[in-house]
Amino acid sequence: MEAKVILKQDLAAWIDALVKQYEVIAPVTEDGVVVFRPVSGLSEMAIEGMVGPAKSLREHFTPPTETLFDYKLEDLSAEVIPPENEERHRVIFGARACDAAALLYVDAVYSNVEPIDTAYFMRREKTYLVGLFCDKPAWSCFCTEVGDFLTNPVAMDVYLTDLGNRYYAEPLTPKGEELIGLGNFRPADENDKAANEEIRRKALERLPKRAEHETACLSYDWDHPVWIELAKKCLSCGACAFLCPTCHCFDIQEHPKLKKGSRYRCWDTCQFEKFTLMASGHNPRETRKERTRQRVFHKFKYSQERYCMLGCVGCGRCIAACPVNIDIRKVLEELEKTAVAK
């Protein structure tokens, strides 16, 4: 598909055209941090000079709290009332390559369970992604260590790169071409393509090289001393999990009100002590040693074995947000150093 260019002076008109047809969700500054929220125009968006959104796209596909159904009880019968479907198609504008890649992982997870998660896949079907190349990676980013999706994007319809006074736009799907057709784009020329390559080259210079975690993770040591060190530091706050674009665990609760009520699900994490607490009182991951090991094994070894892909896209949010400076890159380094020595 042909790459095109739009001048920044024409961006507002393009966004307005998108808003007329879709719900547009884009980066905005909220309480001092960048998050994705519905917008009505370019003036609300925070895409210029954005280092990286504090939150991933997760909440727009699996909300932190979501009603599964309401119910009414009458004698021995019950009426189940499903939630209203979200009818409008939407565009997520400015998505990062790591967050888009994370959706493929979550797709794989939800595709391997029954019953099918209709709410998640309905949102996926009705959402189009306009990505934005990450030319200012944060100090904690390591996406290039776990994949090549920064320069070979996945799960996007359009991929934009900021060239200063204009955006270089690559339509990646027929829907992407349709979205671009709503704006005042022109075909990209050789100067545009050269500028795009230069922007990418400079960004890649600031990021780590590709590692072979897919192979190395299969030999991670279950009894490695790093788990004890992690257990000493980890506070089990769950910040790493709630900011992670590939984490997907949830709890299900009832909210009864006399003869009616609702069943809902809410985010949960394997880093919480009671996550695996059973009715019998047994807890297979009673200490932080088991829980921190589970997180790393799940992101790498188990995901590679089950889905043939890593469960980490290197967004680095867990590193930036950890209150005790746990750095998963260092953990992997320790695990793989030992594996090589053996």
Side-chain angles (χ1 to χ4, degrees):
M1 296 180 183
E2 183 183 27
K4 296 187 177 179
V5 165
I6 185 171
L7 295 174
K8 286 190 175 178
Q9 64 194 42
D10 294 327
L11 188 61
W14 185 35
I15 301 297
D16 288 344
L18 292 174
V19 168
K20 286 180 181 177
Q21 295 193 25
Y22 306 96
E23 178 185 39
V24 175
I25 297 171
V28 303
T29 302
E30 185 176 275
D31 297 328
V33 297
V34 177
V35 295
F36 284 87
R37 293 287 181 266
V39 298
S40 58
L42 178 63
S43 61
E44 300 171 32
M45 295 164 57
I47 58 172
E48 282 291 330
M50 180 178 67
V51 172
K55 291 184 178 179
S56 70
L57 305 179
R58 179 184 177 189
E59 63 184 315
H60 297 291
F61 293 92
T62 53
T65 301
E66 179 175 26
T67 299
L68 300 175
F69 59 81
D70 297 311
Y71 59 82
K72 293 179 181 177
L73 303 176
E74 189 64 39
D75 297 328
L76 296 179
S77 64
E79 178 187 1
V80 175
I81 307 163
E84 293 184 6
N85 290 331
E86 299 167 24
E87 298 292 343
R88 197 177 182 196
H89 287 70
R90 56 188 189 171
V91 170
I92 295 183
F93 194 97
R96 293 307 168 113
C98 55
D99 290 333
L103 292 174
L104 288 191
Y105 174 79
V106 182
D107 287 350
V109 173
Y110 284 153
S111 295
N112 280 274
V113 294
E114 291 288 345
I116 194 78
D117 195 314
T118 53
Y120 172 80
F121 283 108
M122 183 184 66
R123 293 185 183 111
R124 286 283 284 127
E125 183 182 345
K126 293 186 174 183
T127 304
Y128 311 112
L129 260 62
V130 176
L132 180 61
F133 180 77
C134 191
D135 60 349
K136 295 180 178 61
W139 64 272
S140 56
C141 291
F142 63 107
C143 62
T144 48
E145 189 176 315
V146 295
D148 65 351
F149 43 79
L150 181 62
T151 49
N152 295 290
V154 295
M156 288 184 186
D157 296 286
V158 181
Y159 199 27
L160 302 176
T161 302
D162 188 343
L163 300 185
N165 66 340
R166 62 202 188 282
Y167 284 101
Y168 187 85
E170 297 168 86
L172 304 174
T173 65
K175 189 64 187 182
E177 286 198 316
E178 184 182 322
L179 295 177
I180 282 178
L182 297 175
N184 185 24
F185 287 81
R186 63 164 173 81
D189 58 27
E190 291 305 316
N191 288 334
D192 299 320
K193 293 175 183 175
N196 182 55
E197 291 301 317
E198 182 65 8
I199 293 287
R200 295 190 176 189
R201 185 188 65 79
K202 289 182 176 178
L204 290 174
E205 283 181 351
R206 298 195 292 272
L207 288 162
K209 303 298 181 188
R210 186 76 166 91
E212 295 297 330
H213 295 308
E214 289 89 342
T215 303
C217 68
L218 301 178
S219 302
Y220 286 176
D221 186 355
W222 181 261
D223 296 314
H224 197 287
V226 74
W227 310 126
I228 297 175
E229 297 305 313
L230 283 180
K232 290 178 182 176
K233 294 181 68 176
C234 181
L235 303 176
S236 297
C237 68
C240 53
F242 289 160
L243 292 174
C244 177
T246 64
C247 276
H248 49 274
C249 291
F250 57 82
D251 190 16
I252 293 180
Q253 296 282 343
E254 300 284 338
H255 184 57
K257 295 178 183 177
L258 300 176
K259 290 188 174 183
K260 61 182 181 179
S262 60
R263 179 173 295 178
Y264 68 94
R265 64 179 173 185
C266 56
W267 288 3
D268 203 348
T269 169
C270 59
Q271 298 307 287
F272 289 163
E273 181 180 355
K274 294 183 179 178
F275 181 75
T276 48
L277 179 62
M278 301 179 185
S280 65
H282 173 63
N283 190 341
R285 299 189 205 123
E286 190 171 15
T287 74
R288 287 193 292 271
K289 174 186 173 184
E290 288 88 20
R291 297 196 291 273
T292 53
R293 178 174 57 197
Q294 164 65 20
R295 177 172 172 76
V296 176
F297 265 58
H298 194 181
K299 294 289 179 194
F300 291 84
K301 188 174 189 295
Y302 300 154
S303 291
Q304 183 63 27
E305 290 174 340
R306 290 174 187 171
Y307 312 119
C308 297
M309 65 174 78
L310 299 178
C312 173
V313 292
C315 72
R317 292 186 179 95
C318 61
I319 301 169
C322 181
V324 292
N325 300 321
I326 291 176
D327 188 332
I328 196 169
R329 297 170 299 187
K330 301 296 182 186
V331 176
L332 300 181
E333 187 177 317
E334 285 300 312
L335 290 169
E336 294 175 15
K337 189 191 306 176
T338 305
V340 170
K342 286 182 177 179

